[in-house]
């Protein structure tokens, strides 16, 4: 009997989770999309960080290269909700943003 009650509770939890996941997915990917639209080429690295953090509560989850050394760099604001992968890819050189785009799935570099 206890096994059946646990199974029923687990099933109920799964149903609630399946109902809430699409709402969370849309909310998070929309927030990343909106943030990505606000980051423009020519902005400084600091302006981008302030815009992402203060206006959207987001930050770069990964970054390659060192902007402070004047190197080319690439950063991603990744969705935690997307199972296939959804991110805003931001590229720059030194302290300047060079390009911004939304990437999905296999486009996201490791």
């Amino acid at each position: 009997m206890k096994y059946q009650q646990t199974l029923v509770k687990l099933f109920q939890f799964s149903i609630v989770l399946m109902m809430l996941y699409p709402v969370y997915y849309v909310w998070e990917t929309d927030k990343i999309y909106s943030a990505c639209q606000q980051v423009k080429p020519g902005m400084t690295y600091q302006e981008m960080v302030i815009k992402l953090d203060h206006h959207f509560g987001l930050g770069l989850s990964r970054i390659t290269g060192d902007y402070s050394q004047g190197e080319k760099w690439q950063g991603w604001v990744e969705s935690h909700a997307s199972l296939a992968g959804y991110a805003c890819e931001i590229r720059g050189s030194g302290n300047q943003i060079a390009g911004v785009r939304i990437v999905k799935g296999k486009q996201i570099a490791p």
Side-chain angles (χ1 to χ4, degrees):
M1 186 67 142
K2 192 168 186 149
Y3 173 74
Q4 289 175 337
Q5 289 174 340
T6 304
L7 192 59
V8 167
K9 287 182 182 183
L10 183 62
F11 185 68
Q12 289 172 336
F13 179 75
S14 298
I15 290 172
V16 170
L17 191 61
M18 288 188 318
M19 292 170 61
L20 292 178
Y21 173 75
V23 173
Y24 175 61
Y25 174 85
V26 169
W27 174 75
E28 187 176 62
T29 54
D30 185 56
K31 185 166 76 166
I32 290 172
Y33 177 81
S34 296
C36 205
Q37 296 298 311
Q38 296 297 313
V39 177
K40 305 285 185 204
M43 289 176 75
T44 67
Y45 183 87
Q46 290 81 8
E47 290 172 330
M48 178 224 22
V49 168
I50 290 169
K51 187 164 293 272
L52 288 177
D53 185 38
H54 288 83
H55 298 289
F56 298 97
L58 298 170
L60 296 175
S61 56
R62 292 187 287 150
I63 189 165
T64 61
D66 188 356
Y67 82 92
S68 64
Q69 300 295 323
E71 297 176 1
K72 289 185 180 180
W73 55 271
Q74 190 171 14
W76 295 267
V77 179
E78 296 176 292
S79 169
H80 301 293
S82 177
L83 301 175
Y86 184 91
C88 176
E89 178 187 69
I90 304 168
R91 291 172 279 113
S93 180
N95 195 30
Q96 296 292 311
I97 306 297
V100 181
R101 69 181 180 137
I102 292 289
V103 292
K104 301 174 186 174
K106 294 185 180 192
Q107 294 176 325
I108 300 173

